[in-house]
Amino acid sequence: MTVRLTMLCATTAEGGLGRAFGDGAVSERRRRELAAMTATLPPYAVALRGPSDRCAQTADALAVAAVPEYALRDLDHGTWDGRTPEDVAAVDPHGLSVWLTDPDAAPHGGETVRELCRRTSAWLDTLPADTGRVLVITEASVIRAALIHALSVPARSFRHLQVPPKSAVTLTLSDGRWSTRTDRLTVPRRRKPADRVPTVAVPALPTTRQRMCLTGRP
């Protein structure tokens, strides 16, 4: 039996790197982008999502009827919830620095990175062997934690795993071993119309393997 999880990173609100810790709404522009990518989703038998509004809105924009799964919730940022990293750095630069480098630190009073990795690992271990193909729409933090488990790397590697919005990571469990592949949802390409030939939308989902970088910035 094989378990194949396609974990899609819920899109962020406008603002990118400056967005606040915690949940956030998906902008109308992001919704339109996601709607155009529906045709590039891989086949799946079951769809799950994190419990956040961001995950729910991402699933809705993709027209995916995903079931909420509490185990797929984002890292608990405690008192930092709703604040941007810039705001936190202005009042607690040491706390932010420690949190970014120590997987056992939780200066915000919430959850540590190691705790997130443990609960994500526990959820992966409970998946039945006959689970098959599952689409999971969740947070970047959860996908990073899943990669920590699948790649059997230390929790301190968490910050070095890049999971951009709308990227997809496929985790396959076969014969007791996990393998990984990274993809990215794209807008279907359109062929240039020839004489009196209508434009045809062609689904495009890159399937080339990419090397994971575990030695990024300190």
Side-chain angles (χ1 to χ4, degrees), residues 31 49 55 96 121 139 168 171 190 209-210:
R31 284 174 177 270
R49 66 168 175 83
C55 289
L96 181 62
S121 177
E139 315 288 347
L171 304 183
R190 292 186 178 273
R209 294 178 180 270
Q210 298 178 3

Side-chain angles (χ1 to χ4, degrees), residues 48-73:
L48 303 174
R49 66 168 175 83
S52 69
D53 288 342
R54 178 168 49 242
C55 289
Q57 292 173 16
T58 298
D60 181 66
L62 288 168
V64 173
V67 178
E69 171 55 65
Y70 187 64
L72 298 173
R73 67 191 183 277

Side-chain angles (χ1 to χ4, degrees), residues 179-190:
S179 61
T180 66
R181 189 185 72 194
T182 59
D183 300 303
R184 187 173 180 84
L185 292 184
T186 60
V187 176
R189 293 191 298 268
R190 292 186 178 273

Side-chain angles (χ1 to χ4, degrees), residues 117-118 120-125 143-154 161 171 173 178 180:
C117 291
R118 284 173 178 166
T120 303
S121 177
W123 178 76
L124 290 169
D125 287 341
I143 298 176
R144 287 178 175 179
L147 284 170
I148 292 291
H149 177 79
L151 296 172
S152 299
V153 295
L161 297 171
L171 304 183
L173 178 62
W178 288 98
T180 66

